[in-house]
Amino acid sequence: MTDRITQTTALEGHGHGTLPVWKRTPEPDAGVDASVHARLEFSDAAKERLAWLRTRYPDGYQRALVLPVLSMAQREFGWVSPQVIAFVADAIPVPRMWVEEVATFYTMYNKRPIGRHHLQVCTNVCCAVVGGEQLLEYVCRKLGVHPGETTADGRFTVIGAECLGACGYAPMMQVNDDYHENLRSRAQVDALLERLAAEPDRVGTDPHLALGPGTGPGRMLPRNGPALKAGGNVHTPEGGH
Amino acid sequence: MAYTILDGHKTLLNFPRGAEGTWTLDSYRTRGGYSALEAVLREGRYTPAGLLDQVKKSGLRGRGGAGFPTGLKWSFLAKQRPAYLVCNADESEPGTFKDRVILEENPHQLVEGMILSLFALEAEHGYVYVRGEYVHPQKRLDAAIREAYEAGYLGEDVLGAGRAYHITLHSGAGAYICGEETGLINSLEGRKGQPRLKPPFPAVIGVFNKPTIVNNVETLASVCSIAEFGGEAYAQWRNESGKSTGTKLFSVSGHVERPGVYEVPMGYPFKRLLEEECGGMLNGMPLKALIVGGSSVPVVDAETAMKIDLDYESCAAHGTLLGSGGVIVMGEGTCMVRSLEVLLRFYHHESCGQCTPCREGTGWIHRIVRRVEAGQGTMVDLDELYRIADNMEGKTICTLADAAAWPAKSHLRVFRQEFERHVHEGRCPFGGRFPDPFHLGPQA
Ligand SMILES: Cc1cc2nc3c(=O)[nH]c(=O)nc-3n(C[C@H](O)[C@H](O)[C@H](O)COP(=O)(O)O)c2cc1C
Ligand code: SF4
Ligand code: FES
């Protein structure tokens, strides 16, 4: 639910004396260096999961693999460059355009590199009425960026997000895979940012689900992953679930 | 008010809040989990048609928002096989976070409900489409599905009954429109999540060109209670004043002391939910407005809100809809123009762009409201806003356009004075800001 930059409506400014203006969705590779993706290969675990995924959808409908495999590729390669799109298309295999249209339709595919910590602050209405917008402003000011930008050291990308399904635990932000909820004081936000700044690597990439969901006969991924604790999903202090 | 069986009766959140391990198979079994499935498959409690009949008798209506009677929907499923069951766990409607609690804390009830539903529908394979941001809920459900395979509740020969059942978890990738059932089907097939023109309805041609039933997480989890206690018993669980049956999850957010997800019988008075369960308004601020069923339903003022019983009939009688049960509570000091502006930004952003009234209309009314909020609107703008919103309704492939039009029209109708103040004063009387109860913004 983020990345408002690349999701432009074709026709803006209709009516009210303005002539329709056609806006182009920026090319996925506009102004970014994708040379890191010159040679791509899935890890062994990803190859195994791909083989397993093929068994979960009916014959003749392998197009259903586009989302799961593209998501897995993003987890393996960090972001979705044109090279990654081509690689996924060949791996399934499906026409490149099928992968490209999915990569540009869905907001969770990052069409450019992002910071190590992807901070998505919910500013939809339930969060906004209890300070979600102020939280976004505060985080941006602390890190010295505008919404949508990455800090110079590449550590943090901050963006305003639409509803993340945590409305009762507001204000909140998602950091990579983790939800950080009930951020009800500046001190809590400060502590969180400090902790993240000290993290050596991306948080929230639990090896158990590192590549995406998948269960069933023939599943080769580790069966006894780390215990699933409430983790980043801290619920409301008292009262409801 | 008759709540004799009902007070404290829980069928979906039947465990203490915050309890550890409720998501495991062991814990679910100690709460009676999988006993309905065993009775159906091992002891032949119901035939598939018999179970479908119980679902009809229960009066269960879809919990995803539209409230379509579940038994009736199931009876439309075409005879051709294979057929598929798809669980809609895309949950992205602002104000709605109830399915997440089932996925995180009681995922086995969804798994059991899906297997029972597959049995009733005489289908084999179910998909659960979970929104991509729900990584932790996905982990819990993933683990539950694996446990169910290992325990023999899923697989080629379930409980030795000679029937095969499979469930596959499929992750979305960020798009509200994939919650619409045909958008979801397109997304599951690997396409852009753009809704399909109906007919044909999914029950005839759905995912992978096969007959398909799409149901919400809460709907499918509720099937367990129906199979366990019978449709007639389920239909008794309600407030006597209304016709809606069963218990319902309400996800409460906004200006309340204890937000969160609460399970109450249909027909539970909103006043009681607010004052007893939620501990009243945050910091004692007075209630100003209520959105009772997720961001798409019409907003009501405080006086009306206090009269609402939480069921389909009472909501309709008070000019709103039960929707998904996303209760958004707004206290005095909330600017209703600003709140509408945020909602319309969302609908404009999430419009899939296929239909002109939706693609253009959502952006158009958003820009008008943004202008009014900035103090640059005119009285003509207000009429335009209403007229355009009115023209978006009922003209599009899916109801996202309606879902944007309803809040727009109702905000304007109920809080007209506030819109006019913005125009007359040439500024937002609230300074363009939402309340900041936790002092995260710049200190004055
Ligand atoms: C724009 C839009 C978004 C929707 N989002 C959801 C959703 O997130 N979850 C859901 O269960 N139903 C959602 N629905 C309703 C579904 O189309 C469908 O009615 C529902 O999944 C059917 O299940 P039920 O009968 O069990 O409620 C949405 C509908 C529309 C028009
Ligand atoms: S109403 Fe809007 S979201 Fe629905 S199909 Fe049309 S353009 Fe897409
Ligand atoms: S509005 Fe912020 S999580 Fe729903």
Side-chain angles (χ1 to χ4, degrees):
Chain A
M1 301 278 132
T2 54
D3 202 356
R4 286 181 202 129
I5 305 149
T6 47
Q7 286 262 319
T8 44
T9 317
L11 203 55
E12 275 272 292
H14 183 57
H16 304 290
T18 342
L19 281 173
V21 182
W22 287 96
K23 267 207 212 163
R24 288 201 60 196
T25 303
E27 294 294 333
D29 56 347
V32 293
D33 175 16
S35 57
V36 287
H37 288 160
R39 271 225 238 109
L40 294 171
E41 207 191 335
F42 271 143
S43 65
D44 288 344
K47 282 182 194 154
E48 272 177 286
R49 181 163 180 270
L50 175 56
W52 171 82
L53 278 169
R54 291 185 196 284
T55 67
R56 304 306 290 183
Y57 304 90
D59 283 346
Y61 291 95
Q62 295 295 298
R63 188 175 185 172
L65 297 179
V66 173
L67 272 87
V69 178
L70 189 59
S71 300
M72 185 160 77
Q74 172 157 296
R75 280 178 180 269
E76 294 249 305
F77 309 127
W79 58 287
V80 175
S81 63
Q83 286 79 353
V84 169
I85 289 175
F87 172 78
V88 166
D90 295 345
I92 295 178
V94 288
R96 253 169 230 200
M97 182 45 98
W98 291 6
V99 183
E100 178 121 17
E101 66 178 27
V102 162
T104 49
F105 185 85
Y106 296 89
T107 54
M108 280 175 67
Y109 297 117
N110 299 313
K111 271 75 69 179
R112 51 190 62 226
I114 52 160
R116 190 193 291 169
H117 302 298
H118 192 197
L119 274 47
Q120 307 186 57
V121 181
C122 176
T123 53
N124 207 302
V125 75
C126 317
C127 287
V129 296
V130 292
E133 295 184 341
Q134 285 86 350
L135 174 62
L136 175 61
E137 275 165 35
Y138 183 64
V139 171
C140 282
R141 209 171 40 237
K142 273 211 86 154
L143 298 175
V145 291
H146 293 106
E149 290 177 356
T150 303
T151 53
D153 61 5
R155 273 173 185 269
F156 295 99
T157 300
V158 189
I159 195 160
E162 297 296 2
C163 179
L164 291 162
C167 326
Y169 322 121
M172 63 82 64
M173 67 169 126
Q174 182 176 2
V175 182
N176 299 347
D177 289 348
D178 287 329
Y179 280 20
H180 296 273
E181 304 177 321
N182 297 309
L183 297 172
R184 293 181 163 199
S185 71
R186 287 185 165 198
Q188 257 175 293
V189 181
D190 293 344
L192 173 61
L193 293 180
E194 268 162 42
R195 189 157 65 71
L196 292 175
E199 297 245 3
D201 208 345
R202 289 181 73 112
V203 286
T205 35
D206 182 335
H208 171 72
L209 202 76
L211 301 169
T215 301
R219 165 87 189 262
M220 308 300 282
L221 295 174
R223 273 173 177 266
N224 299 312
L228 296 169
K229 284 254 175 59
N233 296 288
V234 183
H235 279 169
T236 173
E238 47 187 300
H241 283 262
Chain B
M1 298 277 168
Y3 285 116
T4 36
I5 7 173
L6 276 177
D7 264 329
H9 182 91
K10 305 267 200 277
T11 63
L12 297 165
L13 304 182
N14 45 9
F15 45 86
R17 190 191 70 85
E20 274 295 303
T22 54
W23 48 90
T24 62
L25 179 58
D26 284 347
S27 165
Y28 184 59
R29 277 210 191 104
T30 61
R31 284 177 275 134
Y34 289 107
S35 60
L37 184 68
E38 304 225 0
V40 168
L41 287 185
R42 284 222 168 100
E43 296 150 30
R45 181 187 285 175
Y46 299 119
T47 60
L51 182 54
L52 198 156
D53 204 42
Q54 294 298 320
V55 174
K56 279 189 182 160
K57 282 202 182 111
S58 74
L60 175 66
R61 291 172 63 170
R63 304 295 197 227
F68 195 83
T70 305
L72 188 61
K73 183 191 262 188
W74 287 9
S75 65
F76 296 150
L77 186 68
K79 292 279 165 281
Q80 186 202 350
R81 290 295 176 274
Y84 295 102
L85 173 67
V86 177
C87 173
N88 188 342
D90 193 54
E91 192 163 66
S92 321
E93 167 127 334
T96 313
F97 51 101
K98 65 185 176 74
D99 296 338
R100 179 176 154 201
V101 178
I102 298 181
L103 298 172
E104 281 184 355
E105 294 176 19
N106 201 5
H108 274 288
Q109 189 150 340
L110 173 61
V111 172
E112 184 182 5
M114 282 187 74
I115 303 168
L116 286 163
S117 305
L118 285 165
F119 171 82
L121 296 165
E122 300 191 79
E124 268 185 19
H125 203 143
Y127 290 92
V128 191
Y129 186 101
V130 188
R131 71 177 292 185
E133 292 87 347
Y134 276 6
V135 176
H136 285 273
Q138 286 184 10
K139 282 186 201 170
R140 290 272 170 82
L141 181 62
D142 197 40
I145 294 173
R146 182 160 354 120
E147 278 185 317
Y149 268 108
E150 282 165 358
Y153 297 125
L154 288 170
E156 281 306 314
D157 180 13
V158 172
L159 296 178
R163 293 171 187 269
Y165 295 115
H166 293 283
I167 293 179
T168 300
L169 170 49
H170 189 98
S171 174
Y176 168 62
I177 196 56
C178 293
E180 198 279 339
E181 55 186 1
T182 55
L184 188 153
I185 286 170
N186 269 338
S187 181
L188 187 50
E189 290 185 353
R191 301 164 197 270
K192 292 181 284 183
Q194 291 180 315
R196 296 177 179 176
L197 209 53
K198 286 152 275 198
F201 288 94
V204 180
I205 300 180
V207 73
F208 310 128
N209 284 323
K210 298 293 184 298
T212 301
I213 293 291
V214 182
N215 274 130
N216 173 260
V217 173
E218 190 187 344
T219 312
L220 293 171
S222 298
V223 171
C224 294
S225 313
I226 297 171
E228 178 81 26
F229 302 105
E232 271 160 27
Y234 187 90
Q236 299 301 313
W237 301 341
R238 64 190 165 102
N239 179 350
E240 279 182 348
S241 66
K243 289 200 194 99
S244 314
T245 62
T247 60
K248 171 90 189 81
L249 299 183
F250 290 94
S251 53
V252 187
S253 63
H255 296 137
V256 300
E257 279 292 334
R258 293 195 294 268
V261 179
Y262 296 91
E263 180 176 10
V264 292
M266 280 288 191
Y268 202 74
F270 166 71
K271 188 170 189 291
R272 197 167 154 191
L273 179 73
L274 175 66
E275 288 168 3
E276 293 179 19
E277 271 76 12
C278 300
M281 295 292 294
L282 184 66
N283 303 334
M285 65 208 285
L287 177 66
K288 176 172 185 178
L290 170 71
I291 297 176
V292 76
S295 64
S296 304
V297 312
V299 64
V300 297
D301 59 20
E303 199 191 325
T304 314
M306 285 305 185
K307 289 188 245 162
I308 289 181
D309 291 334
L310 297 164
D311 63 17
Y312 297 103
E313 296 80 22
S314 174
C315 286
H318 291 99
T320 186
L321 295 160
L322 189 72
S324 59
V327 177
I328 308 171
V329 177
M330 291 186 258
E332 284 300 342
T334 312
C335 175
M336 300 311 288
V337 180
R338 189 79 176 80
S339 108
L340 179 60
E341 195 260 314
V342 171
L343 287 179
L344 293 180
R345 179 192 73 205
F346 172 76
Y347 287 108
H348 181 212
H349 180 246
E350 300 300 333
S351 168
C352 84
Q354 290 187 101
C355 321
T356 311
C358 175
R359 182 187 64 238
E360 300 306 316
T362 49
W364 196 351
I365 58 179
H366 176 230
R367 283 189 296 276
I368 294 178
V369 175
R370 202 170 53 190
R371 202 158 57 227
V372 174
E373 168 63 14
Q376 289 155 8
T378 62
M379 293 301 279
V380 176
D381 277 336
L382 302 189
D383 296 334
E384 281 266 285
L385 169 61
Y386 199 90
R387 189 180 58 81
I388 298 163
D390 201 45
N391 264 311
M392 287 162 59
E393 271 185 63
K395 295 191 175 60
T396 50
I397 294 175
C398 86
T399 50
L400 186 135
D402 307 68
W406 291 332
K409 286 169 68 179
S410 60
H411 270 75
L412 192 54
R413 202 170 45 233
V414 179
F415 297 99
R416 174 97 196 178
Q417 277 187 334
E418 204 164 306
F419 282 76
E420 290 181 356
R421 257 188 88 185
H422 280 73
V423 173
H424 294 321
E425 295 180 15
R427 64 185 180 97
C428 173
F430 301 89
R433 308 290 285 172
F434 283 112
D436 182 19
F438 306 117
H439 313 293
L440 296 168
Q443 313 296 298

